[in-house]
Amino acid sequence: MADFTIILGNKNYSSWSLRGWLILEASGADFDEVVIPLDRPETKAAIRAHSPSGRVPSLKHGELTIWDSLAIGEYLAELFPEAGLWPEDRKLRAQARAITAEMHAGFAALRAHLPMDLRGRFPGRGHDAPGVAADILRIVEIWEVCRQSFGRGGDFLFGRFGIADAFFAPVVGRFVTYGVSLEGATAAYRDAVWSCPAMKTWRAAAEAEPWVIDQ
Ligand SMILES: N[C@@H](CCC(=O)N[C@@H](CS)C(=O)NCC(=O)O)C(=O)O
């Protein structure tokens, strides 16, 4: 049994789970995972057995349970400094935390109208719902600024893949599913996240899942 166990929702649909899992992968830690299918009669009780908030992801490390994706990221960044989950430079770290917090707390319209569905392809659906265009514009702005100003050392927002990228990975999935068109640096960033090895592993597992949720 590995030191860490992460409790996840369906890989096709659970955007918060994807964030926590990508960070755990990037930390380099060995871990086990438990997938709990969402939106079923037994879901709430099954999650509550592992997570006091009744939400996933939840990370177990010995006696400790951490039931929030951002708290999971902070904990792993402290435990595995060599993984570079936050940028090394203090000012860049502050920028990375700001966009991660913006994602953690915001973009409600995008979440509501373009729910993550990695297997689905619905180009154009939801684009005209209230607030969606503004959310997309702001995300494009964040990606452009980060790639242009901070991303020189690699293909991700601050060069190396980190917590900020994990937080925006479900948005990459939504942009693919709902055919949000991007150009230049933002299209390249989307492709870098979509085709990085960890994302490919997660997507393959999502493809293989039997569960379908009518969103
Ligand atoms: N603040 C939490 C939010 C997690 C969250 O909302 N997770 C959803 C799944 S993506 C959930 O657990 N839903 C429970 C349910 O559908 O019963 C985090 O960052 O981890």
Side-chain angles (χ1 to χ4, degrees):
M1 196 175 130
D3 282 354
F4 294 89
T5 302
I6 189 161
I7 320 300
L8 307 164
N10 316 33
K11 293 190 173 178
N12 191 55
Y13 301 107
S14 183
S15 56
W16 298 100
S17 300
L18 170 58
R19 293 177 178 124
W21 185 89
L22 284 174
I23 297 166
L24 190 52
E25 270 282 317
S27 77
D30 266 349
F31 64 93
D32 295 320
E33 58 182 55
V34 174
V35 174
I36 298 177
L38 300 175
D39 205 30
R40 294 158 69 107
E42 65 278 15
T43 300
K44 269 284 165 231
I47 296 179
R48 277 280 295 174
H50 299 285
S51 164
S53 65
R55 305 259 169 199
V56 283
S58 180
L59 180 69
K60 293 185 173 183
H61 186 207
E63 297 293 296
L64 181 68
T65 297
I66 311 168
W67 61 89
D68 175 86
S69 53
L70 186 52
I72 290 170
E74 292 289 3
Y75 183 69
L76 293 173
E78 287 181 23
L79 278 185
F80 301 101
E82 68 287 352
L85 295 173
W86 290 124
E88 210 176 317
D89 178 89
R90 182 183 290 129
K91 288 183 182 162
L92 295 196
R93 201 156 60 242
Q95 301 288 303
R97 284 200 165 107
I99 62 162
T100 300
E102 199 173 335
M103 185 71 240
H104 201 44
F107 303 111
L110 191 83
R111 286 182 189 164
H113 299 292
L114 278 62
M116 191 172 96
D117 179 351
L118 294 173
R119 294 187 302 252
R121 291 295 176 274
F122 313 110
R125 187 187 286 182
H127 291 207
D128 56 355
V132 167
D135 278 359
I136 292 172
L137 267 183
R138 174 62 190 140
I139 288 165
V140 166
E141 181 179 52
I142 290 171
W143 291 0
E144 272 171 358
V145 168
C146 288
R147 286 297 303 143
Q148 199 177 336
S149 310
F150 314 127
R152 252 163 257 126
D155 293 335
F156 300 101
L157 295 174
F158 294 86
R160 185 174 179 180
F161 188 93
I163 292 172
D165 302 292
F167 266 70
F168 282 93
V171 170
V172 166
R174 290 174 162 109
F175 283 5
V176 171
T177 297
Y178 298 96
V180 174
S181 52
L182 301 170
E183 289 169 6
T186 53
Y189 175 67
R190 174 202 59 208
D191 296 345
V193 173
W194 186 248
S195 56
C196 74
M199 191 72 173
K200 278 188 175 164
T201 302
W202 178 278
R203 284 166 44 206
E207 290 287 342
E209 283 178 346
W211 312 291
V212 175
I213 297 178
D214 186 5
Q215 309 198 79

